[in-house]
Amino acid sequence: GSWQHRPRAAAGTVECYLPLLPLAASDLLVGICDCRSVLLAPASLVSLVNCSMLVFSAVATRAILGSRYSRTEWGGILAAAAGVILVGAASLLRGEAAPSGTAPLGVLLALAAR
């Protein structure tokens, strides 16, 4: 066939680490977004977004891997999402979150990091 054997790069060489560059760059971007989100929004809101990882993971595994969930599990996922949305919206609407008005941007950065 058209497959050809490529010799592996020697350990410790630059070629050995090149495949890891996209992963390192994405990890750096996530770290920057996380740090900026805490600077722009209160830690309570950023923590709330971080706790919503369950919802993102469930939806992603359904979309990408085709995982199937029971009605009870979907109910729990929807309840968790509704709780995150309600608490976050109430905090943002009351204006207690950040007097400077940067909380929505901080929350968006926290979401982008997920």
Side-chain angles (χ1 to χ4, degrees), residues 41-69:
S44 60
L45 280 178
V46 174
S47 176
L48 187 66
V49 172
N50 291 343
C51 290
S52 66
M53 195 64 182
L54 164 94
V55 176
F56 293 124
S57 296
V59 172
T61 56
R62 173 71 179 125
I64 297 169
L65 302 175
S67 298
R68 295 190 177 263
Y69 300 112

Side-chain angles (χ1 to χ4, degrees), residues 5 8 17 24 27 29 37 41-42 48 50 55 63 67 70 72 76 78 80 88 96 98 107 113-114:
H5 176 70
R8 292 191 318 178
Y17 298 109
D27 191 45
L29 184 61
S37 68
L48 187 66
N50 291 343
V55 176
S67 298
S70 69
T72 306
L78 291 175
E96 298 172 0
V107 170
R114 299 301 125 226

Side-chain angles (χ1 to χ4, degrees), residues 11-44:
T13 63
V14 172
E15 292 84 16
C16 177
Y17 298 109
L18 282 179
L20 299 176
L21 191 59
L23 294 173
S26 69
D27 191 45
L28 177 65
L29 184 61
V30 165
I32 290 170
C33 285
D34 265 342
C35 289
R36 294 296 299 168
S37 68
V38 172
L39 291 174
L40 295 173
S44 60

Side-chain angles (χ1 to χ4, degrees), residues 68-108:
R68 295 190 177 263
Y69 300 112
S70 69
R71 288 183 184 180
T72 306
E73 290 168 329
W74 274 117
I77 292 167
L78 291 175
V84 167
I85 291 169
L86 287 174
V87 171
S91 179
L92 287 174
L93 291 175
R94 270 190 270 136
E96 298 172 0
S100 64
T102 60
L105 180 59
V107 170
L108 286 175

